[in-house]
Amino acid sequence: MERGGSPMRYGAILAGGVGNRMKSAHIPKQFLEIAGKPIIIWTLERLLKSALFDEVIIAIHPEWNEYLKTMIRDRDLNRNYVKVIDGGKERLDSIRNVIDYIEGAHGIEKDDKILIHDAVRPFVTDQIMKDSMDALDQYPAVVAAIPATDTMLWIEEGTKVDSMPARSKLYHGQAPDSFRLQVLKDSLDSLTEEEKKMITGTAQICLTKGIEIHTVPGDVENIKLTSDGDLMIAEGIMRERLERDD
């Protein structure tokens, strides 16, 4: 896809993991099926159907790159604005590969935007994605979030509860995380090796460098599938949605 005169809007799906928390999985969890379709395909279709992005980039573990390309092609999703690239060893490495791909293929302009999503969050809504991209007109970085509903405990070590933070000020962060692309690139470029070791979430890249992170409303069904229990819940949610849409 050639860059036009307008800012570019990118959707990125991180699928580099080969986690083993799903005991039943014999392949990477993003390729497991719910309601008869691989999780990663559900996620890709959500981004494509939103029509929000000029290009969708999937960063996948190199050993599964061709497998995913074949899967996309067999389902007639192999459009010229879907790119499959190699992911990296860690999440930060995959994000770096996505940014390097964009910079090499299109360059990066001041008002370009990127939404970064997890391959194993197939229930992201159009509203979350639209709100995220729109919020970037006002803020440099945003993350989807929902209010905490459980009592939260602060434990320094062992089992002793040191405090119970006010639940009204606590939120569960979800993907997607969205950024003005240049802001994300600059933040990632400036991370020290020590800072990289401390980062566990995408928005944390910018927060570590002093960039304000704002939130948009998430959704309780926008769950991340990491365990066998999650897979069972996801099967129920997806089948209910399919029945509702019939």
Side-chain angles (χ1 to χ4, degrees), residues 116-169:
I116 299 179
H117 195 53
D118 296 327
V120 290
R121 283 189 191 265
F123 300 112
V124 63
T125 66
D126 286 351
Q127 193 65 56
I128 291 174
M129 291 186 284
K130 184 179 185 304
D131 287 347
S132 297
M133 297 301 277
D134 287 348
L136 293 176
D137 291 335
Q138 185 174 359
Y139 307 118
V142 297
V143 60
I146 58 174
T149 55
D150 296 320
T151 298
M152 305 303 247
L153 309 178
W154 184 271
I155 299 175
E156 291 286 349
E157 60 178 308
T159 60
K160 174 178 163 293
V161 175
D162 294 284
S163 65
M164 296 183 182
R167 191 170 59 196
S168 61
K169 299 182 183 299

Side-chain angles (χ1 to χ4, degrees), residues 14-17 19 21-22 29-30 34 39 43 91 117-124 146 172-177 200-202 219-234 237:
L14 302 185
R21 276 182 283 182
M22 283 187 183
K29 58 190 175 184
Q30 57 266 32
I34 55 173
I39 295 167
T43 304
R91 188 179 189 86
H117 195 53
D118 296 327
V120 290
R121 283 189 191 265
F123 300 112
V124 63
I146 58 174
H172 294 287
Q174 299 182 328
D177 304 83
T200 57
T202 307
D219 190 291
V220 292
E221 290 188 351
N222 182 30
I223 60 174
K224 185 176 183 180
L225 311 186
T226 59
S227 69
D228 291 310
D230 296 332
L231 205 61
M232 294 174 61
I233 293 169
I237 294 173

Side-chain angles (χ1 to χ4, degrees), residues 51-154:
L52 287 168
F53 307 106
D54 298 301
E55 190 164 53
V56 175
I57 304 145
I58 309 173
I60 186 74
H61 191 285
E63 292 180 4
W64 294 89
N65 187 305
E66 290 303 319
Y67 183 82
L68 177 59
K69 286 179 179 176
T70 299
M71 182 179 289
I72 290 172
R73 186 166 55 248
D74 289 348
R75 287 166 174 78
D76 197 28
L77 298 172
N78 191 32
R79 302 162 193 177
N80 63 359
Y81 55 93
V82 176
K83 303 296 179 184
V84 178
I85 67 170
D86 286 345
K89 183 178 179 181
E90 305 292 343
R91 188 179 189 86
L92 285 180
D93 301 319
S94 291
I95 295 170
R96 165 59 64 194
N97 288 0
V98 168
I99 292 175
D100 287 349
Y101 162 76
I102 292 172
E103 189 167 33
H106 308 295
I108 296 176
E109 300 292 341
K110 176 177 175 289
D111 293 323
D112 290 348
K113 301 176 181 179
I114 186 168
L115 177 146
I116 299 179
H117 195 53
D118 296 327
V120 290
R121 283 189 191 265
F123 300 112
V124 63
T125 66
D126 286 351
Q127 193 65 56
I128 291 174
M129 291 186 284
K130 184 179 185 304
D131 287 347
S132 297
M133 297 301 277
D134 287 348
L136 293 176
D137 291 335
Q138 185 174 359
Y139 307 118
V142 297
V143 60
I146 58 174
T149 55
D150 296 320
T151 298
M152 305 303 247
L153 309 178
W154 184 271

